[in-house]
Amino acid sequence: MSLGLAKYIPRLEPSLATYIAVTGACFLPAIVLGIYLLFDIRSRQADPIACRKIGLRIQSQLADQHDKRYSRLGAEQQNGTASWKVKSLWIYPIKSCKGVELNKGTVLGTGMEYDRQFCFAQLSSKFPTSLDTPQAEKAEHKWKFLTQRLISAMATIKTEVWIPDFSSPTYSATHPNVRSGGVLVIRFPKSSNNRSPWGRLVTLLTSMGHTPEHCVQIPFDPTPEQITNSGYTTDSMEIWKDSPKSLTMASTENGDEWIQELRFYLGITNHLALVRVSKDDLREVYRCAPRKEELGYQSKVGFQDAYPLHLLNLASVHDIGRMLSKDAPPLGALNFRPNIVITGGTPYAEDSWKRIKIGEYEYYVACRTVRCLLPNVNPATGIKHGSEPNKTLKTYRCVDEGDPKNACLGMQMVPALEDSKIKVGDTVEILETGEHFYIRQ
Ligand SMILES: *[C@@H]1O[C@H](CO)[C@@H](O)[C@H](O)[C@H]1NC(C)=O
Ligand SMILES: *[C@@H]1O[C@H](CO)[C@@H](O)[C@H](O)[C@H]1NC(C)=O
């Protein structure tokens, strides 16, 4: 073998330069990949110091959510008694972005701890304006909340919550991450110009399962001193009919680079900002919620749409799912962005619940959840389906006389106490049933 090669090589009379060129050409892709990965790793920030990430470490409780046992014919109902249980718990630290699944959590009067504390907002002008609109009014701009209803790709923005951890070797009570009550981590795919060699490489790597990401760390709940030092400003932001004072923590107006990249990724032309709930300007909840006299405290929310908690019966999702048109992707619980997913009974049993107990704690079931087009967005891909599940929901689920033209699925809840605990596996007891009548905004 080696003898054969030795005979062969001299005939080519290769120079040292040829050897180097051939070897180089063979290894070039590997070298480029190596350099790329080095840069990618360097651009990735290390995990937040002095903190630990909250959420499930094992596979999602929803991994088997499409199993038939969670639908109408479930074994649990065979002897006529439903035994409801909490199957899965979710928080969405940034409104309309990917959620974090928990095994257990704390429920405050405002909903689950860490839920909907942030949202993205765009700077919008009054539109349309006419020629005779006064100049001052034309120039008027306002931050308005953004959701998947408008920008479905928001579904692909990943979020993590890191909270101070006494047992961490890097823990120190004075570390900024500890003083800010933890860190919000945001991840989203790096966009690339597909025609450049660099862009082609990124596309290749993405197809190989390695998606290069931007990774950003934001103080979860900055102290007044951190707010001043970082130059965060308080602005009012429009969310539905409210305009609470909110903390602007990054904005394309201020030239923050990562949010510039995010704006490009989402394809937004207006200015974009990351906004945090201001604890002294929460939005008070009335409409179908129990009043202060009954509840013992005034119900309030951060950036939830309307009520503190959202409960979803997996059997109801199954029932809608089996009626969808054939081309629709399988319907899952996450299309409906629940906090609490329960199983154990028949579809739509929850429609008439007024008060329930989960584990040791009571909750008022304020009203049904009236659905918009958001469930049409595939929570995994951020791609909006042309018709489903909206079409099927509209066919079967216009069930509330308070809003007869719109479909309902899921229930809005208000905790009876301002501090409760909840965990996967908790039993759900129905304390009171009755009529619901949706009160519109
Ligand atoms: C049947 O009902 C009883 C309560 O009457 C309950 O304890 C039991 O778990 C139920 N069986 C099944 C299979 O759900
Ligand atoms: C939702 O479904 C209803 C009933 O099929 C349909 O009339 C309506 O146009 C749909 N909405 C959108 C925006 O597709």
Side-chain angles (χ1 to χ4, degrees):
M1 179 73 188
S2 62
L3 207 75
L5 248 168
K7 257 200 307 195
Y8 186 68
I9 293 166
R11 270 175 49 194
L12 267 177
E13 290 168 24
S15 65
L16 186 61
T18 317
Y19 268 126
I20 292 171
V22 170
T23 316
C26 292
F27 288 104
L28 189 66
I31 292 166
V32 172
L33 185 72
I35 293 172
Y36 170 79
L37 288 176
L38 200 70
F39 271 100
D40 190 47
I41 288 162
R42 275 181 48 191
S43 71
R44 225 181 286 165
Q45 276 174 286
D47 290 343
I49 285 175
C51 294
R52 72 177 165 87
K53 185 161 81 170
I54 63 165
L56 281 191
R57 299 248 183 287
I58 48 162
Q59 111 174 317
S60 166
Q61 299 286 351
L62 293 177
D64 67 347
Q65 64 167 323
H66 297 293
D67 194 304
K68 284 233 166 18
R69 87 186 111 141
Y70 300 120
S71 60
R72 181 189 292 276
L73 303 169
E76 288 90 340
Q77 294 105 60
Q78 276 173 0
N79 69 4
T81 38
S83 53
W84 296 97
K85 281 207 160 65
V86 173
K87 172 145 181 74
S88 174
L89 292 171
W90 289 82
I91 53 169
Y92 307 88
I94 311 181
K95 185 180 186 67
S96 259
C97 298
K98 264 194 204 311
V100 173
E101 187 174 9
L102 305 179
N103 226 348
K104 57 182 196 297
T106 298
V107 185
L108 307 171
T110 51
M112 291 194 59
E113 192 177 23
Y114 311 116
D115 189 35
R116 271 90 167 197
Q117 295 298 293
F118 295 84
C119 81
F120 286 105
Q122 65 172 336
L123 196 60
S124 320
S125 50
K126 263 198 182 158
F127 195 80
T129 51
S130 62
L131 274 179
D132 51 0
T133 307
Q135 202 54 42
E137 204 175 300
K138 272 190 204 165
E140 209 176 277
H141 282 65
K142 200 165 191 215
W143 289 108
K144 272 192 185 164
F145 79 125
L146 265 179
T147 74
Q148 285 178 30
R149 294 171 190 90
L150 202 62
I151 311 285
S152 62
M154 287 176 77
T156 60
I157 302 173
K158 295 182 203 158
T159 57
E160 293 167 6
V161 178
W162 292 71
I163 58 170
D165 180 13
F166 298 104
S167 66
S168 159
T170 51
Y171 182 87
S172 131
T174 54
H175 192 282
N177 289 350
V178 173
R179 296 185 36 235
S180 64
V183 175
L184 170 77
V185 173
I186 307 172
R187 295 176 192 276
F188 59 96
K190 278 194 174 143
S191 319
S192 63
N193 173 355
N194 282 339
R195 267 165 301 184
S196 72
W198 191 255
R200 277 173 212 260
L201 185 66
V202 170
T203 311
L204 176 75
L205 287 165
T206 306
S207 70
M208 283 160 53
H210 173 87
T211 312
E213 286 180 327
H214 286 282
C215 176
V216 191
Q217 295 185 11
I218 304 285
F220 200 89
D221 188 4
T223 61
E225 191 194 349
Q226 289 174 326
I227 290 174
T228 312
N229 292 346
S230 304
Y232 302 147
T233 53
T234 301
D235 303 287
S236 75
M237 185 205 60
E238 191 176 299
I239 172 166
W240 300 116
K241 291 198 167 159
D242 301 318
S243 291
K245 276 186 275 149
S246 313
L247 197 63
T248 304
M249 297 185 67
S251 137
T252 54
E253 254 194 335
N254 303 343
D256 294 306
E257 204 173 307
W258 71 267
I259 200 161
Q260 206 81 34
E261 296 282 341
L262 181 64
R263 178 165 81 159
F264 180 64
Y265 170 68
L266 296 175
I268 295 170
T269 48
N270 288 348
H271 275 300
L272 180 68
L274 175 72
V275 166
R276 191 193 195 288
V277 161
S278 168
K279 270 167 294 181
D280 43 65
D281 203 13
L282 297 170
R283 295 150 59 220
E284 298 191 342
V285 181
Y286 297 98
R287 294 161 73 192
C288 299
R291 294 294 179 264
K292 192 176 175 181
E293 299 73 52
E294 189 183 356
L295 196 57
Y297 72 94
Q298 174 58 51
S299 182
K300 291 178 185 177
V301 290
F303 291 151
Q304 285 89 342
D305 275 344
Y307 298 88
L309 285 169
H310 186 214
L311 178 88
L312 189 70
N313 173 7
L314 193 53
S316 307
V317 178
H318 273 236
D319 198 60
I320 295 298
R322 73 186 173 86
M323 292 186 287
L324 298 186
S325 42
K326 292 288 168 280
D327 71 316
L331 190 65
L334 291 184
N335 286 66
F336 300 94
R337 301 182 67 79
N339 294 117
I340 306 166
V341 181
I342 56 165
T343 60
T346 50
Y348 319 122
E350 69 281 16
D351 270 342
S352 63
W353 295 352
K354 298 288 278 187
R355 208 158 47 84
I356 64 175
K357 193 169 176 183
I358 305 179
E360 306 279 301
Y361 300 91
E362 278 186 31
Y363 299 86
Y364 290 87
V365 184
C367 60
R368 302 188 180 103
T369 311
V370 171
R371 309 304 334 196
C372 58
L373 284 176
L374 195 143
N376 285 30
V377 177
N378 182 328
T381 62
I383 295 167
K384 194 184 215 166
H385 191 269
S387 59
E388 295 286 22
N390 163 64
K391 191 169 146 229
T392 301
L393 285 169
K394 281 271 164 67
T395 311
Y396 297 96
R397 291 293 301 165
C398 293
V399 294
D400 197 298
E401 281 175 25
D403 195 354
K405 292 218 173 82
N406 285 307
C408 301
L409 200 77
M411 303 304 282
Q412 298 289 333
M413 304 205 299
V414 176
L417 296 177
E418 287 184 275
D419 188 5
S420 318
K421 302 275 179 234
I422 190 167
K423 62 180 190 303
V424 169
D426 274 352
T427 51
V428 184
E429 204 183 322
I430 319 309
L431 301 178
E432 196 185 322
T433 60
E435 292 290 311
H436 278 294
F437 187 90
Y438 190 79
I439 300 171
R440 298 174 62 165
Q441 229 355 356

